[in-house]
Each structure stands twice: as C-alpha cells, then as structure tokens.
Amino acid sequence: MQATADVTKKESSWSSWKGQAIDLLYWRNVKQSGAVFSSVLLLLFSLTQFSVVSVGAYLALAALSATISFRIYKSVLQAVQKTDEGHPFKSYLEMEIALSQDQISKYADKILLYSNTCMRELRRLFLVQDLVDSLKFAVLMWLLTYVGALFNGLTLLILAVVSMFTMPVVYEKHQAQIDQYVGLIRTQVNSVVGKIQAKIPGAKRKEE
C-alpha cells in the first residue's frame, strides 16, 4: 500500500510539473510567462556578449545587492520602530530544499533510460539496420552542417527558446491550417521515401 501511495504521489507531482510547463508555454498566465521568457532571453543574450563566468558573477552580485539591501532596510526599520520581527528571510532559510533519495533515484532512472535509448538508436542508425532511416539521418546531418555554418550554438538556443514560447500559441490558434499543410508535406515525404525504397535494393523495410 505504501509503495502504491508513493507511486501515485510521484505521478501526481510529475503531472503537476508538466501542467505548469504547458501553462507557461501556452501563456495561460501572461505575467509569469513573460517574466520567464524575458529572463531566459536576457540571460542568453548576455552570454553572447560576455563569458559564462562574467554573467554568473554579475547575476550573483545583483542577487546579493538586492538581498543585502533588503536585509539592511528591514534591520533599520525594526530598529526605528523598535520591533523584533526577526530575520526577513527566515521562512526561506528554514525551507527544505534538499533533494530526497527518491527524487534523485527517479531523475537518475530517467537519465539512464534516455541515455540507453539514445545509444541504441545511434547504433541502429550508424550500423545501417534500416537503410532508409540511416539515409534520413545522413541527410539531417548534412543539413546541420549548413545550419552550423550560419548559426552558433547560442543563436540556435535563442531561436529554440523563442520557438518554445511562440509556436505552441500559434499552433493552438491555427491548428486546422497547420495540420493540413503538415499532412500534405508528410504525404509528399512518404511518396519520395516509397520511391527510394522501391529503387534501392534492401531499402524496403521487412514486414513485422
């Protein structure tokens, strides 16, 4: 019974995090999504101008300036008003922030699962278990050489963040039209793949 309760609790926690992420990307709360979006973009743009060490140091200094100033302000205020409210960050200092063994095990299991899946998939592609899939992978890598020549890693990361915060909303508003165009593209791609499979010996997948 205890094990079942723990599993249910973990699933509920994961569902809650997933729901919060979806709400964030779909701008259910405009202020919250805007704050996260602008903060991430500001951080990434800062990294394009300064080193990681400099950005980290500036962020730490900004945070320390804010907390130290607030601590001094509250101390002076308590001295003037002759009150004893205690440390202004007492509730945060007493808050439990350590990861539990169960949480560490859960995240480690997920990382291990994704790593093993990725290694198996790469082995399948590089050792040409399926010729068509390996050819698709080769084309993708070839296209990425051009993408890498045009953009660096940080630029791609910035574009990814912008896409994450814009594409879900665009898709939600224009889902019918987008699905129609995606269906047409998928049909064309499947047609080309079918022709390739018919012409290349050994390219056609074996039926299960």
Side-chain angles (χ1 to χ4, degrees), residues 72-87:
I72 294 174
Y73 166 75
K74 292 296 290 186
S75 299
V76 172
L77 191 63
Q78 290 177 26
V80 172
Q81 296 179 347
K82 297 181 180 180
T83 58
D84 187 17
E85 298 178 359
H87 198 289

Side-chain angles (χ1 to χ4, degrees), residues 182-194:
V182 170
L184 292 173
I185 295 172
R186 186 177 298 166
T187 301
Q188 294 296 325
V189 171
N190 290 337
S191 175
V192 173
V193 170

Side-chain angles (χ1 to χ4, degrees), residues 3 30 41 43 52 58 61-62 66 69 86 90 96 107 115 128 162 169-171:
V30 177
L41 276 186
L43 174 62
V52 176
Y58 282 129
L61 284 173
S69 299
K90 183 179 180 181
E96 182 62 39
Y107 295 133
S115 299
V128 200
V162 172
V169 178
V170 173
Y171 179 74

Side-chain angles (χ1 to χ4, degrees), residues 119-135:
M119 287 190 294
R120 285 194 296 268
E121 185 65 17
L122 289 174
R123 180 185 64 182
R124 189 181 72 85
L125 292 170
F126 280 105
L127 298 182
V128 200
Q129 180 178 345
D130 186 289
L131 181 57
V132 174
D133 286 346
S134 295
L135 288 173

